[in-house]
Amino acid sequence: MQILYAHNILFCMTFSSGSTYQQVRQALQSNSPTSLPGREEHLSRIHAFLHDHLIAGSSGTLYISGPPGTGKTACLSKIMELPEFKSGYKIVNVNCTSMKSSGSIYARIAQELALKVSKQTEKICLASIERYLASNHKMILLVLDEIDQLDSRKQSVLYTVFEWPSAPNSKLVLIGIANALDLTDRILPRLQARLDLRPELLHFAPYTKLEIVSILTERLKQSGVSAMFPSVALELLSGKIASTCGDVRRALDIGRRVIELAEVRNQTVPLQPTVDHASNTSSPRKSPRKNPDAGCVALKEVMAVLNSVYGTSQSFVTDSDESFPLQQKVLVSTLLLILKKGHNKDVTVGKLHEVYCRICKKKNILSVDQAEFISLCQLVETRGILKVQGRKETRLSRVCLQWDEEEVCAALKDKQLLASILNDTSCL
Amino acid sequence: MSLPCREKEFENIYRFIEGKILDGAGGCMYISGVPGTGKTATVQEVVRSLQEAVSRRDIPDFKFIELNGMWLTEPRQAYVQLLNALTGQTVTAEQAQQLLERRFSRTAHRRITTLLLVDELDLLWTRRQDVVYNLLDWPTKAASRLVVLTIANTMDLPERLLMGRVTSRLGLTRVTFHPYTHKQLQEIVMARLRGLQAFDPDAIQLVARKVAAVSGDARRALDICRRATEFAEGDAEGSDGTVAMQHVDQALAEMIASTKVQVIRYCSKMEQLFLQAVASEIQRTGVEETVFDKVYIQLRTLCVFDGYAVPSVTESLGICARLGSCRLLLTEHSRADMHQRVLLNVSSDDLYYALKVL
């Protein structure tokens, strides 16, 4: 009994009271936030749109576009939580990635509207939805997330859905969400022909630096751990994100990783997976709580994470220089040689292998045979350096270099070998 | 620990999952690396250590589910497998998806963290990428408590294959497993042989260097060592029974020897002459692709030179088809008859090498 009790206390101590780091990490989770700084205007526009249509009892269409991680779905779900709309509308919220094919959306909508259908076929479901829309019904709010997934050959599904609001007697507000700015103009040109079908557009621009800073500070302030992240570090992080993609998920992700890095730095006890933890109740996780100032994030940690993310694509350069096998180096150098000095830039695997064999013979390296060579090509391909196209006849498939020469040089870390191969055109 | 040289990666993954379990949060991690670098083994080891920690009551309990792209007949079966592992229900893919969606969006107080390992992520790729999207979208929901570890070979798979919105959800927590260097391979083999004096250390080094120069694949290195041991076993009567340099050499030679050279050597005389004719036609024109009738002219000349009876066109077509069926030549469909295009499927160096020795 005593032991059990002690265990319980230990349990509570370890799990419920998190360290400061844990609080910061939780603050930077990329799930839906409670407040959306920098999106007030969008929020009020969506609110006004829904409000007006609810009051007037009229139908309407809104198309929301914007790159990933700019708060489209978050804004909308926040507004749908409002009691005014929750009671006023019958809300149907569908994420279109969950559909098997574009046609099965009808069955899903019919199910959400609790319509009785005799069979789950596309035609019958569509007919019953249309019958429902024609009858006297409550206002419907139909939200289709990632609407570009409903793409079909003649766009019949998208056209049908976008035509519902203009059907007589229907009281349906349609909100579509996707990444493309011009989806409605590009794949649905016929909507422009009729004025009543034309959707209202709302674009979510990528977050600016200031907005990202305010989002992060807000989140940190809510958990009361804003001291952990100095404002300089926040500015650096936000500036970098804003200048590349403005994706807030990414900013939060990087923030979390910076915290993890800082935590590792402050943990004096190295992790030993097989060491028995049961005896020491004061786990290393808690020690930084005694002096919270020491644990805050340093600028160099932010830089380290940013460099690993936004550095060149070959992150393995940082590791030990021997991690690139010799034969693969020769292969890549051979490809460079053919592309730079050869007459025919159309390189097949067979041709590459022949030149490679000649170079190997010259350099006194044991060359591998064709079958092995093909698997070698595939190994290099997984690094993203080259691409083998046309898989049917491996000997005839083409090899394309995906990186430019400087990147390759940096990755090989063996200028001598590369130069000696490149200067020797007799092998061609 | 049974995984030498992967301590850093181990710690990285361990800390990630441990943090997520302690926080009660969800998240994704992408693990890449070429085959045989210990990706799956490391993750399994991490899970085992975490389960030990659970049994010591250091961290809350969690549920581990493993999915492998290779096990699934179709990407959408992933939903069925996942739901089955979670609740034991067996339903269709569509229903499974809906049930999972509902399960992960709804808050449940007594839910424990689910750790999902998706091996061979690239096999779950579909044109609409809905399966990958959903698997990576659930962890972002606050209530899901789902941690997804994804494994694939390609280093830049998220950028190359996946859409922007999927990459955005996958996040940037990535671990790359590099090919083993010869020192690491040596250490791995030594670790396996601890306590045994059966192997010559130099022999191990030779294997390690050979493998590290080509692929850095640990499975390969162990394979070669095993084969060398078999050779040593074969002539154990004479020597003291240890695996020495010559056994490793023998095993390596067996691995490296080209099967195609062997096949060419065992071809009939006429088939060899035909291959030679193709090669000289290629040399004459400088183009890799030739036509059968041109090759036939060469073949006739070669036969006359060597004093063989010239085979008829029909016979030569038969030879061509036989060589095509064992893939020494690549031939067009035989419907084209005399005008079918013919290509050599071995390097001409290999061909000359094989023919010269005769």
Side-chain angles (χ1 to χ4, degrees):
Chain A
M1 185 63 199
Q2 195 82 41
I3 296 165
L4 198 70
Y5 182 66
H7 257 309
N8 276 340
I9 284 188
L10 181 64
F11 212 71
C12 295
M13 272 169 63
T14 328
F15 304 147
S16 55
S17 67
S19 70
T20 332
Y21 290 116
Q22 199 173 338
Q23 283 170 19
V24 178
R25 259 186 291 151
Q26 267 161 348
L28 295 179
Q29 280 309 324
S30 47
N31 43 37
S32 288
T34 42
S35 72
L36 291 149
R39 289 290 179 237
E40 292 82 9
E41 196 189 319
H42 296 88
L43 280 171
S44 67
R45 250 197 83 185
I46 301 174
H47 188 274
F49 176 80
L50 288 178
H51 186 75
D52 292 350
H53 282 293
L54 186 59
I55 296 296
S58 59
S59 303
T61 316
L62 178 69
Y63 173 66
I64 299 177
S65 62
T70 49
K72 301 181 294 295
T73 311
C75 271
L76 203 58
S77 38
K78 189 173 155 68
I79 288 204
M80 284 192 299
E81 285 296 306
L82 294 177
E84 176 192 356
F85 299 132
K86 243 183 169 171
S87 58
Y89 283 110
K90 167 138 190 64
I91 297 178
V92 179
N93 190 353
V94 180
N95 189 330
C96 300
T97 41
S98 58
M99 297 295 108
K100 192 175 166 191
S101 65
S102 52
S104 50
I105 186 81
Y106 300 132
R108 182 69 187 275
I109 293 172
Q111 186 196 341
E112 296 271 340
L113 286 173
L115 299 182
K116 281 202 182 66
V117 283
S118 53
K119 250 196 244 158
Q120 288 278 326
T121 63
E122 205 174 305
K123 233 178 194 168
I124 292 172
C125 289
L126 175 60
S128 76
I129 292 170
E130 278 173 350
R131 220 175 308 123
Y132 180 77
L133 287 177
S135 70
N136 204 357
H137 60 90
K138 192 180 171 186
M139 283 290 285
I140 301 172
L141 173 60
L142 177 60
V143 178
L144 298 175
D145 207 344
E146 314 288 3
I147 201 169
D148 53 344
Q149 293 276 326
L150 295 184
D151 198 14
S152 52
R153 192 160 330 132
K154 281 162 146 181
Q155 312 299 356
S156 55
V157 176
L158 277 175
Y159 272 122
T160 314
V161 171
F162 272 92
E163 274 162 16
W164 283 341
S166 67
N169 209 5
S170 82
K171 289 190 284 183
L172 177 119
V173 176
L174 171 69
I175 299 185
I177 306 178
N179 295 134
L181 177 64
D182 56 345
L183 180 107
T184 49
D185 303 345
R186 184 161 41 90
I187 61 177
L188 301 170
R190 273 192 282 144
L191 287 185
Q192 304 298 323
R194 282 172 57 187
L195 201 61
D196 56 333
L197 285 181
R198 198 182 288 174
E200 261 188 68
L201 300 180
L202 179 62
H203 183 64
F204 279 63
Y207 281 110
T208 61
K209 182 181 168 185
L210 285 178
E211 285 164 349
I212 297 181
V213 170
S214 67
I215 290 172
L216 293 177
T217 34
E218 181 108 346
R219 283 188 170 223
L220 292 173
K221 212 181 278 168
Q222 272 176 5
S223 337
V225 282
S226 41
M228 290 292 289
F229 235 111
S231 62
V232 194
L234 273 183
E235 298 242 330
L236 175 69
L237 200 162
S238 315
K240 189 77 191 182
I241 300 286
S243 68
T244 48
C245 56
D247 181 343
V248 74
R249 263 193 218 111
R250 189 165 265 219
L252 292 169
D253 207 16
I254 292 180
R256 271 203 308 276
R257 283 190 50 194
V258 171
I259 286 294
E260 278 163 22
L261 215 65
E263 190 176 2
V264 170
R265 181 187 49 149
N266 280 347
Q267 264 175 10
T268 43
V269 188
L271 185 75
Q272 286 293 327
T274 43
V275 165
D276 190 42
H277 271 302
S279 51
N280 55 342
T281 45
S282 64
S283 82
R285 192 167 294 288
K286 282 187 202 152
S287 51
R289 238 199 310 178
K290 288 161 195 160
N291 47 350
D293 289 347
C296 86
V297 169
L299 211 55
K300 72 167 198 286
E301 280 150 3
V302 181
M303 274 318 284
V305 174
L306 285 176
N307 279 340
S308 73
V309 174
Y310 288 111
T312 40
S313 43
Q314 66 287 34
S315 53
F316 54 87
V317 178
T318 52
D319 280 45
S320 61
D321 52 344
E322 279 179 286
S323 65
F324 207 126
L326 176 70
Q327 300 278 6
Q328 297 183 14
K329 279 187 199 170
V330 178
L331 189 152
V332 175
S333 316
T334 309
L335 183 59
L336 261 184
L337 170 72
I338 298 176
L339 288 176
K340 280 186 75 162
K341 303 282 171 65
H343 301 295
N344 195 357
K345 306 287 180 200
D346 200 26
V347 189
T348 61
V349 172
K351 168 118 172 95
L352 188 64
H353 183 230
E354 267 169 43
V355 180
Y356 157 84
C357 283
R358 260 172 254 150
I359 287 174
C360 281
K361 204 176 264 176
K362 218 164 200 178
K363 298 239 168 284
N364 226 347
I365 303 169
L366 197 68
S367 60
V368 298
D369 78 322
Q370 194 179 309
E372 182 76 51
F373 187 77
I374 288 161
S375 71
L376 212 57
C377 283
Q378 277 155 6
L379 287 182
V380 181
E381 195 181 4
T382 62
R383 288 179 186 253
I385 300 178
L386 51 82
K387 198 169 184 182
V388 184
Q389 286 171 331
R391 301 265 171 179
K392 207 175 158 218
E393 293 294 352
T394 36
R395 195 177 157 75
L396 301 181
S397 48
R398 288 182 57 213
V399 184
C400 308
L401 195 67
Q402 301 285 85
W403 292 0
D404 64 9
E405 196 196 333
E406 264 173 40
E407 268 186 309
V408 173
C409 275
L412 293 185
K413 284 189 117 185
D414 196 346
K415 279 226 166 81
Q416 227 176 341
L417 177 79
L418 184 62
S420 71
I421 289 177
L422 284 184
N423 287 331
D424 195 1
T425 47
S426 63
C427 292
L428 279 174
Chain B
M1 219 164 48
S2 62
L3 284 164
C5 317
R6 287 290 179 232
E7 290 85 8
K8 218 176 90 201
E9 287 83 358
F10 179 92
E11 185 167 331
N12 233 327
I13 300 171
Y14 187 92
R15 276 194 195 291
F16 174 80
I17 304 175
E18 191 198 25
K20 294 289 176 206
I21 293 177
L22 285 171
D23 294 359
C28 312
M29 181 180 231
Y30 179 68
I31 300 168
S32 67
V34 291
T37 47
K39 300 181 294 294
T40 311
T42 305
V43 173
Q44 308 267 20
E45 185 71 25
V46 167
V47 171
R48 244 192 23 163
S49 307
L50 283 168
Q51 275 160 350
E52 264 172 41
V54 168
S55 65
R56 282 199 311 267
R57 303 265 197 137
D58 279 355
I59 54 171
D61 199 9
F62 69 96
K63 189 175 174 65
F64 174 61
I65 298 171
E66 199 178 351
L67 274 184
N68 189 324
M70 285 284 189
W71 300 342
L72 307 172
T73 49
E74 196 240 345
R76 296 174 61 83
Q77 288 295 318
Y79 302 137
V80 180
Q81 298 275 344
L82 180 56
L83 187 73
N84 195 344
L86 277 171
T87 63
Q89 289 169 281
T90 309
V91 290
T92 63
E94 197 138 323
Q95 277 174 308
Q97 197 272 333
Q98 279 177 29
L99 286 171
L100 286 169
E101 178 89 42
R102 210 167 301 153
R103 184 187 163 91
F104 288 128
S105 352
R106 197 174 289 158
T107 8
H109 292 291
R110 309 201 50 180
R111 180 175 294 163
I112 56 171
T113 303
T114 311
L115 175 63
L116 174 66
L117 170 66
V118 184
D119 212 339
E120 317 283 355
L121 177 75
D122 41 346
L123 294 179
L124 293 183
W125 187 87
T126 51
R127 205 177 55 80
R128 284 171 63 223
Q129 311 195 354
D130 49 341
V131 178
V132 185
Y133 175 93
N134 276 318
L135 285 179
L136 299 179
D137 190 39
W138 289 326
T140 62
K141 294 193 194 314
S144 66
R145 290 198 142 198
L146 178 70
V147 182
V148 180
L149 299 180
T150 53
I151 300 184
N153 288 347
T154 317
M155 203 180 265
D156 54 350
L157 182 90
E159 280 75 28
R160 198 195 304 180
L161 208 58
L162 303 176
M163 298 182 202
R165 55 168 172 256
V166 181
T167 312
S168 172
R169 282 171 175 78
L170 180 58
L172 299 160
T173 318
R174 298 188 189 165
V175 175
T176 309
F177 282 69
H178 301 291
Y180 288 110
T181 64
H182 69 90
K183 281 195 200 111
Q184 292 174 328
L185 284 175
Q186 207 173 335
E187 204 177 310
I188 290 169
V189 178
M190 295 288 234
R192 292 284 182 102
L193 294 173
R194 190 164 296 148
L196 294 171
Q197 295 298 320
F199 247 94
D200 182 2
D202 287 341
I204 297 179
Q205 191 174 2
L206 178 68
V207 173
R209 280 189 184 273
K210 283 277 182 200
V211 174
V214 178
S215 57
D217 184 340
R219 271 188 216 120
R220 190 84 185 265
L222 292 171
D223 262 350
I224 295 177
C225 287
R226 209 174 302 131
R227 188 82 188 112
T229 320
E230 282 166 14
F231 282 126
E233 208 174 26
D235 52 39
E237 298 87 43
S239 64
D240 52 351
T242 58
V243 183
M245 217 55 162
Q246 77 260 24
H247 302 125
V248 170
D249 261 339
Q250 210 174 339
L252 283 171
E254 197 185 73
M255 290 252 166
I256 285 161
S258 169
T259 46
K260 279 188 175 153
V261 172
Q262 304 267 334
V263 172
I264 295 171
R265 280 191 191 156
Y266 286 109
C267 275
S268 73
K269 188 69 211 168
M270 246 342 133
E271 285 166 350
Q272 286 176 349
L273 278 176
F274 191 88
L275 285 172
Q276 214 176 332
V278 176
S280 47
E281 181 62 24
I282 288 168
Q283 209 171 21
R284 190 180 70 84
T285 54
V287 186
E288 244 192 282
E289 205 176 69
T290 54
V291 186
F292 176 81
D293 51 357
K294 297 275 166 45
V295 176
Y296 184 65
I297 296 169
Q298 290 279 351
L299 179 66
R300 237 172 24 196
T301 329
L302 280 173
C303 284
V304 171
F305 264 30
D306 292 357
Y308 291 105
V310 180
S312 70
V313 176
T314 321
E315 268 175 321
S316 311
L317 274 172
I319 291 170
C320 184
R322 270 204 300 284
L323 289 172
S325 68
C326 67
R327 308 287 286 169
L328 286 172
L329 292 179
L330 300 177
T331 57
E332 224 182 13
H333 197 273
S334 58
R335 171 178 58 206
D337 253 10
M338 284 280 281
H339 304 290
Q340 67 176 300
R341 267 170 272 169
V342 177
L343 267 157
L344 215 52
N345 197 26
V346 286
S347 74
S348 45
D349 291 348
D350 274 358
L351 182 62
Y352 287 130
Y353 175 72
L355 295 176
K356 191 177 64 187
V357 186
L358 292 172

